[in-house]
Amino acid sequence: MHQQAPDRVRQPDHEDPEAPRRRRWPTILGSVVAVGALAGMVGLAANADLLGGGPDSAPPAPQPSAAPPAPAPGGMRDQERPDQVAVLDPASRSDAEAAVRKGWQLVAGDEFDGAALDPARWAAYTGDTTGGVGRHRAENLSVRDGQLILTSRGLTSAGLHWKGGMQYGRWEIRAKTNPGTGYGDVALLWPVAEDWPEGGELNFMEIPKGDRSETHTIVHYGEDNSQVGKSIRGDFTQWHNYAVEWLPDRVVFYIDGQEVFRTTDLEKIPPRPMHLAMQQDIGPYGKDWIPPLDETSPETLDFQVDWVRIYAP
């Protein structure tokens, strides 16, 4: 479901990847069959070099697809707002980490203490943003003051993914979003095999509205992009810790060390290796999801990440 984008920025050994392809599903529905075929070839790589950096860790260049077939009966579900709703109590806000509370074993991560993004760990997106409205550009990524900064400027934005993937584990980030209509900040796990939606998708921080008063935890699963999750209301312009635990028998989401949603339905648990991705998407996208840019939208908007930590299953 991913088409070749023009004007790619070339790296010495591979092409920079585009953003997770679910974001453009409404415009390129038919190519899911082609991606499914690709998944069959690469999906057997069970735990792909967690630390990344080697020549084999780069994502494959997209391949041209055949003429798109007719959509499957019933079509594909668009992004859905979870029916379940919870409220984050400001009085109980803390800097607690799920990893500390649960005693998770650290195996990789990035504290962003250097002067630039580490290319051995991260790959920048340079393709279309959500729904093809704008473009992700590598120059919109920066590291300063101990933080990773993803910046949107009009119709250009930023996104990146961790080069290594694994099946099962725990991921946690400390992040801060800033108000701005027309931009949606997201942290998620995406299938290494690029076989969405069958390969699943775990959104453990998704904030589409400009006032940043609501985040969503969403499990995407099944060939029609079925979804289950919860919406959590609070002030997400403040720093928070967002985490996901993915094991063979469960998916659990946390905010500031507190569990906010879980599923133990085996049909909803992703079946193959995944990797971490973070991005800022540009509206409009979906029905009542990311609104379009308007006169209140800032000229530039940052999505700030203090650290990323990956833990063993």
Side-chain angles (χ1 to χ4, degrees), residues 81 85-90 212-215 231-236 255:
R81 188 174 300 277
V85 178
V87 177
L88 209 61
D89 181 3
R212 311 307 187 208
S213 64
E214 190 173 71
T215 189
S231 299
I232 299 95
R233 294 171 181 161
D235 180 3
F236 299 103
I255 298 178

Side-chain angles (χ1 to χ4, degrees), residues 9-192:
V9 177
R10 292 279 183 171
Q11 294 294 332
D13 298 319
H14 65 279
E15 291 183 340
D16 283 342
E18 294 190 7
R21 292 123 200 224
R22 184 265 291 183
R23 305 297 174 189
R24 292 193 286 146
W25 180 261
T27 64
I28 48 178
L29 176 64
S31 55
V32 64
V33 172
V35 174
L38 178 61
M41 293 185 288
V42 301
L44 296 177
N47 280 315
D49 185 17
L50 175 63
L51 293 178
D56 295 332
S57 66
Q63 299 299 313
S65 59
M76 173 68 63
R77 297 171 188 247
D78 201 351
Q79 180 66 58
E80 299 174 358
R81 188 174 300 277
D83 292 332
Q84 295 188 47
V85 178
V87 177
L88 209 61
D89 181 3
S92 64
R93 183 178 175 275
S94 73
D95 292 335
E97 299 170 37
V100 172
R101 291 190 172 188
K102 300 293 183 180
W104 295 345
Q105 179 185 354
L106 183 70
V107 293
D110 199 336
E111 302 295 315
F112 305 112
D113 290 332
L117 195 66
D118 184 352
R121 297 173 177 174
W122 300 101
Y125 298 140
T126 58
D128 287 357
T129 61
T130 307
V133 175
R135 301 277 296 178
H136 285 119
R137 297 198 181 280
E139 57 264 34
N140 288 342
L141 293 167
S142 60
V143 174
R144 61 177 186 265
D145 300 325
Q147 298 175 20
L148 166 67
I149 310 294
L150 297 82
T151 301
S152 289
R153 297 178 173 89
L155 293 180
T156 71
S157 188
L160 75 171
H161 78 70
W162 183 265
K163 284 189 172 180
M166 64 183 185
Q167 186 164 11
Y168 309 129
R170 301 163 172 108
W171 290 255
E172 190 158 16
I173 71 170
R174 183 164 179 79
K176 177 182 185 295
T177 66
N178 294 288
T181 297
Y183 299 105
D185 299 346
V186 193
L188 67 149
L189 300 187
W190 185 257
V192 173

Side-chain angles (χ1 to χ4, degrees), residues 190-211:
W190 185 257
V192 173
E194 295 288 350
D195 59 342
W196 183 93
E198 292 89 344
E201 176 185 357
L202 301 178
N203 299 72
F204 60 101
M205 187 208 82
E206 184 156 15
I207 307 178
K209 291 295 186 286
D211 63 2

